[in-house]
Amino acid sequence: MNSSHDEIITKITTAKLGKIVKIKLAYKQESQLIHSIRITGDFFVHPEETIEQLEQGLCGVKLEKEDLKNKIHWVLKNSEFFGFEIDSLVDVILDTKGDKNKI
Amino acid sequence: MLYLIQKVIKIKFEKIRILETGNNMGPWNMAVDEFLLYNCKEPILRIYGWSKPCISIGYFQNIDEVDYKKCNDMNVDVVRRITGGGAVFHDMELTYSFVTKNFPPSIMESYKEISELIIQALKKLGLEAKFSPLNDVTVNGKKVCGNAQTRKNNTLLQHGTVLLEVDVEKMFSLLNVPIEKISDKEISDVRNRVAGISKTFDQVSDALKDSTIDVFGCELASFNLNQEELESCQKLVDEKFSRI
């Protein structure tokens, strides 16, 4: 299928990890690539700008566990974060693609 | 006692500047904190309050956390913090900011060391306070003080609230949680986890200044922001903190 016909699906989920994490995910249905993602919640990340870098870095990444995990590890490697673990963040992103709402 | 405190504290200061800015609106309070963060030359302890109730939301939170219409109806300010964490309802509390270029690299360690100011202040008021990682201070197992910090420009800012009294129902009514989802149990849980210390602002303020001298073995020097600094803060209010 031509990528211009790859429909973009938007979904939102909220999960209670160590802290609340909300994901707004837009992804391409056919290719399963992230079109855009917004990660919000009451967690802590130092430096704070890392989350914006993560949101930008995840664009174009395939919605598969290893791909997501590798990208998140790479972007967060020099930061400290509290309120979620990388594995649980990956699971929430994948859950967002499905229809599971944890809260 | 002093020996025990000093075992916890690794950072030392000869002098800490004290800034008491009184009660102000939410956007002004957050603007002053940001100004101090980017213009810190010597360590500063700021003590302040709120001229009207305010909800501050964390750096990473979505703006839909707060019910703006209800906040407007109830004359409650809404402002975004420069620090992470959750929505905080500022009403009957003392708020402090500690700003320094000398701090432990570890986030956890720096929370612990700076929160010692609050713990020792509460002990002076007869309360058996404890540090509860990551960033809380508890008395009898209930949270009485929440803290958050950011690091910019080789400077650390930690701000936090010491709860004097708590109105859980009012706090929930201003957050954008569907009312049917706020069960009596949830309100009851928060009430069981959070408490005010039933002291006055002035009592806590005096105890905090005394504990700062004890904890850091330093002298205190009061100061006020000059006209130029106040204008810089107002610019931050106008350009950043008056909108979410």
Side-chain angles (χ1 to χ4, degrees):
Chain A
M1 179 180 277
N2 185 313
S3 62
S4 63
H5 296 119
D6 199 351
E7 189 186 355
I8 294 171
I9 311 286
T10 302
K11 292 191 175 178
I12 299 171
T13 196
T14 302
K16 178 90 170 81
L17 306 178
K19 297 279 188 181
I20 299 282
V21 175
K22 294 184 178 180
I23 304 288
K24 183 176 182 184
L25 173 71
Y27 66 99
K28 295 177 180 173
Q29 189 174 35
E30 182 72 18
S31 59
Q32 294 286 293
L33 300 177
I34 294 177
H35 176 71
S36 66
I37 187 166
R38 192 87 173 93
I39 304 167
T40 59
D42 59 0
F43 48 82
F44 294 90
V45 179
H46 302 270
E48 289 81 3
E49 294 77 13
T50 312
I51 282 292
E52 289 161 47
Q53 291 162 12
L54 180 60
E55 290 171 342
Q56 288 164 14
L58 284 170
C59 292
V61 172
K62 194 154 194 173
L63 282 163
E64 287 184 357
K65 196 160 192 158
E66 283 309 307
D67 291 22
L68 290 169
K69 196 169 167 177
N70 290 340
K71 176 57 80 171
I72 296 171
H73 263 296
W74 173 255
V75 177
L76 295 184
K77 67 182 188 301
N78 293 322
S79 67
E80 284 193 72
F81 46 96
F82 304 90
F84 64 86
E85 301 292 334
I86 289 179
D87 284 347
S88 56
L89 183 59
V90 169
D91 288 343
V92 177
I93 293 170
L94 291 172
D95 285 352
T96 309
K97 189 187 73 166
D99 290 323
K100 280 192 266 180
N101 281 331
K102 290 194 172 179
I103 287 182
Chain B
M1 181 64 168
L2 201 56
Y3 172 72
L4 285 175
I5 298 170
Q6 285 172 348
K7 270 179 75 177
V8 175
I9 300 301
K10 295 185 185 123
I11 43 176
K12 290 282 169 231
F13 302 101
E14 286 183 9
K15 185 175 83 175
I16 291 178
R17 301 171 78 209
I18 296 281
L19 176 62
E20 294 177 82
T21 53
N23 294 332
N24 287 286
M25 306 228 314
W28 177 264
N29 276 336
M30 293 300 97
V32 173
D33 274 3
E34 176 158 322
F35 176 82
L36 296 176
L37 174 64
Y38 285 99
N39 294 276
C40 169
K41 293 183 182 70
E42 296 176 285
I44 296 168
L45 174 66
R46 177 186 174 212
I47 297 173
Y48 60 104
W50 306 77
S51 55
K52 68 174 188 172
C54 176
I55 288 184
S56 71
I57 62 170
Y59 182 92
F60 304 107
Q61 286 192 294
N62 210 324
I63 53 171
D64 64 10
E65 296 286 338
V66 176
D67 185 333
Y68 284 101
K69 185 179 180 310
K70 203 165 278 178
C71 287
N72 196 39
D73 291 348
M74 294 175 74
N75 197 27
V76 172
D77 279 339
V78 181
V79 69
R80 184 181 292 279
R81 295 194 305 277
I82 54 175
T83 54
V88 178
F89 179 49
H90 304 279
D91 193 1
M92 298 163 284
E93 67 176 43
L94 174 143
T95 314
Y96 79 93
S97 313
F98 191 77
V99 192
T100 176
K101 286 185 175 295
N102 173 19
F103 54 88
S106 154
I107 302 279
M108 179 74 87
E109 192 63 32
S110 54
Y111 268 125
K112 190 175 178 186
E113 295 211 8
I114 297 167
S115 298
E116 193 65 21
L117 295 179
I118 303 299
I119 290 168
Q120 295 305 324
L122 297 181
K123 286 188 175 176
K124 285 178 184 294
L125 296 170
L127 301 165
E128 197 50 47
K130 290 179 181 163
F131 178 65
S132 176
L134 170 72
N135 54 347
D136 294 336
V137 174
T138 58
V139 172
N140 297 326
K142 293 189 177 187
K143 176 176 171 176
V144 298
C145 171
N147 302 281
Q149 64 174 247
T150 185
R151 295 156 180 228
K152 294 278 183 297
N153 193 31
N154 296 318
T155 306
L156 176 151
L157 176 139
Q158 177 170 315
H159 51 195
T161 63
V162 180
L163 300 170
L164 306 176
E165 306 290 343
V166 181
D167 187 340
V168 175
E169 283 83 359
K170 187 173 181 185
M171 178 186 79
F172 267 118
S173 76
L174 297 165
L175 298 178
N176 225 349
V177 183
I179 197 74
E180 62 273 18
K181 287 196 176 177
I182 306 172
S183 64
D184 288 345
K185 184 177 179 306
E186 262 176 291
I187 290 176
S188 161
D189 284 349
V190 173
R191 199 184 280 120
N192 289 334
R193 283 188 286 113
V194 177
I197 59 169
S198 300
K199 305 287 181 189
T200 67
F201 185 98
D202 288 344
Q203 283 176 308
V204 180
S205 176
D206 289 345
L208 183 54
K209 284 182 267 185
D210 287 347
S211 73
T212 304
I213 295 170
D214 291 349
V215 168
F216 291 130
C218 64
E219 63 177 76
L220 304 182
S222 293
F223 79 105
N224 290 309
L225 297 174
N226 63 32
Q227 190 56 38
E228 189 183 343
E229 291 167 333
L230 291 169
E231 284 168 10
S232 295
C233 293
Q234 186 58 52
K235 194 163 182 245
L236 282 169
V237 170
D238 296 340
E239 294 178 359
K240 180 171 182 180
F241 290 100
S242 57
R243 62 185 76 92
I244 300 293

